[in-house]
Amino acid sequence: MTLASVLFYFFATIAVAGGVLMVTRKNPVHAVLFLVLNFAGVAGVYLVLNAQFIAVVQIIVYAGAIMVLFLFVIMLLKLGGEESVFARQPFVKTLSIVIAALIGAQLTYVFFFAAPDKGTMVDMETGVYPGTVKAIAETLYTKYLLPFEAVGFTLVAATVGALVIGKKKLED
Amino acid sequence: MEFTLTDLTHLLPIVIVAASVLVAMTIDMFTKEADKTLGWFTALSLFAAAYVSLFFVDKTGVHLSGVVASGGATNILHFVFTFGAGVVALISMEYAKKTEMRVGEYYVLVLSSVLGMMLIAAAKDLAVIFVGLEQMSISFYALAGIRRKRDKSVEASLKYFLLGAFATGFVVYGMALIYGSSGTMALDTIRYAFPDLVSQPLFVLGLALFVIGFAFKIAAVPFHMWAPDVYQGSPTPVAGLMSTVGKAAAFAALLLIFRPVFDGAENALFPFLAIVATLSMLYGAIVAIAQDDLKRMLAYSSVAHAGYMLIGFASGEATGAAGVIYYLVAYAFMNLGAFGIIAMIESAEETNLKVQDYAGLGTRAPALAALLSLFMFALSGIPPLAGFFGKYYVFIAAVEGGATWLALVGVASSAISVYFYLRVVVVMYFGKSENRMEYSVSNVSLLGVTISAMLVILLGVLPGSIIKLIESFVR
């Protein structure tokens, strides 16, 4: 077993354990914390695959920003009584199990039947690792320059929209 | 990547709209009474973009390392988006004054939604479709709730946002599967590999999720639940914008990804599309009969119209694609006209929206009544107006594609829909009016509605030459 595969199994175990613990927790705050653990594990897997940029983004954006925001919302809304929400709505529970099973089946299909040999992350012809900061920056600022700039406009629209709906007092 | 001045000139319509978004924000910042200024600025810059897009219609090409296209069908769609939104800006000015809406953000968001639509229509890459779709949708979510003091407006916004985000999830997952099975995000590469790819279950699944996501956006049954509430709750010009050019943009995305189908490859999704089209046509037409609120009625009618347009896809013929584009143009302007008149008649408190309220309009405001009758006749598909030829072309495509039964369902649904469209006309001219409602007619709104009326007649009188023009680009 190479070091890479040892690391892979290490991070993968963390990710899977975090995921399982997250969905089985009754307390939403605990669930969120285990989701952060799951994200950290997935970020480790990205690192093993030489996708440094995605690994860092995973930590900073998902584990850092979004989940902290989530925690704040849960704590501010005091969702203590939320513990039994899923118990009271069997429909939601069934639906989530069905969706999870479908996505699981689809991923299993991809891994074992559709593309069992596409697992490599390095472009053999050029020797470029597509997950590095350099490779991503190059693609983003050359081929995908237009969508990249357009995302700026999307964020402007989102900001304006959030302001117009969310601002407490509008001087009109 | 090479970026030259030619790229810039060919993408001028997009550049104009993108620049107007920024300029409109600046105008709002520095002008105290921005109502009129911003309204005219938005309308004029959109009409300018529409003019420019027609100017470049025969110069097809791809730009910026092949992620966007210009010319041909792209520019025809750009014309529809910009011109339609320009008409919306015209009918918004009076409405915004009447309802004391926030104008600064309103026009910025209208412009930015148009920018999103233009990106979708120009896309040569899945990433551009996605960014454009989000740009358009986010602007729409905010526009639906822009009268934030009214509960209905906020409810419409929230409902649209939640379901829209859900639909976006479908689209992204579909794109991920398409990318995973084809190994590329470039639409042209996917197009060439299409015959091989359809044999892959993952690719078909991706396509299906993609179509489901966009079926939400075009409000086709069974993904239409949001449409009536959102159209009813949104400010009337916004409902007009969403139901016409917004729908056209979603259809543009479907057209882009399904282009290969029109080259005669086997259409794996035909049963799915045919069922959705059938359900949409029948459901939309039948439920619309029971509606008293005009905006709700037009929402259900837009569900039915989405069904007619889907026939053009299901048939898989190149004439179907051209028919869909023609239908989009026709539908955009007849619906915009109808929404324009509703916006004029409607009061600031959102009354005067029932069909009964229109009783006696034929004698009191003959011009408005005549125009609304024209749009209703066009929507129901009575020749020689635009709506008739739109339906004619998609039905013909269905027959040529060997799906005659689909065309028959369409004809039956059209026959049903005549009832509720003509009810409005009958009430206007023969109904007894009990309350003498107030309405405000401004010259600017009337201008917008008249432009729509002229286009509806023009498209109906010269359908042959226009469809030929579209067909020459769709191939």
Side-chain angles (χ1 to χ4, degrees), chain B residues 310-334:
Chain B
L310 276 175
I311 293 183
F313 281 100
S315 68
E317 296 285 316
T319 48
V324 172
I325 295 181
Y326 179 88
Y327 203 122
L328 283 172
V329 184
Y331 174 72
F333 291 107
M334 52 202 189

Side-chain angles (χ1 to χ4, degrees), chain B residues 110-276:
Chain B
V110 167
L111 283 167
S112 98
S113 75
V114 175
L115 177 64
M117 298 168 200
M118 295 174 88
L119 284 178
I120 295 178
K124 277 277 170 196
D125 195 284
L126 287 175
V128 181
I129 293 189
F130 177 66
V131 173
L133 175 72
E134 277 311 274
Q135 170 97 35
M136 175 183 89
S137 305
I138 289 175
S139 309
F140 279 170
Y141 305 148
L143 278 174
I146 201 156
R147 294 187 69 186
R148 51 186 223 150
K149 282 179 189 150
R150 303 197 67 86
D151 290 345
K152 265 196 176 163
S153 186
V154 176
E155 182 201 329
S157 174
L158 187 68
K159 218 172 233 176
Y160 194 26
F161 171 66
L162 290 176
L163 284 172
F166 196 59
T168 304
F170 275 99
V171 172
V172 178
Y173 205 87
M175 282 180 180
L177 289 180
I178 292 174
Y179 173 67
S181 49
S182 66
T184 176
M185 300 226 279
L187 288 176
D188 285 341
T189 320
I190 296 175
R191 177 181 180 174
Y192 292 128
F194 200 85
D196 300 325
L197 289 169
V198 265
S199 59
Q200 287 190 35
L202 277 184
F203 183 75
V204 176
L205 185 64
L207 271 189
L209 287 172
F210 188 88
V211 175
I212 288 174
F214 277 99
F216 265 104
K217 301 280 170 195
I218 61 170
V221 176
F223 312 107
H224 65 284
M225 307 78 85
W226 58 273
D229 293 342
V230 171
Y231 288 4
Q232 193 186 14
S234 308
T236 307
V238 174
L241 184 74
M242 291 192 295
S243 68
T244 55
V245 286
K247 189 170 280 209
F251 266 106
L254 287 177
L255 265 176
L256 283 175
I257 197 88
F258 277 99
R259 276 282 176 80
V261 176
F262 302 121
D263 289 351
E266 197 189 334
N267 189 349
L269 290 178
F270 171 76
F272 176 76
L273 288 173
I275 289 169
V276 171

Side-chain angles (χ1 to χ4, degrees), chain B residues 51-66:
Chain B
Y51 175 74
V52 174
S53 60
L54 278 193
F55 193 73
F56 290 121
V57 76
D58 53 353
K59 299 190 178 74
T60 51
V62 288
H63 311 283
L64 303 175
S65 39

Side-chain angles (χ1 to χ4, degrees), chain A residues 107-124:
Chain A
L107 285 178
T108 316
Y109 174 82
V110 173
F111 284 137
F112 294 105
F113 303 103
D117 54 341
K118 285 186 186 165
T120 171
M121 282 296 278
V122 56
D123 191 335
M124 289 304 181

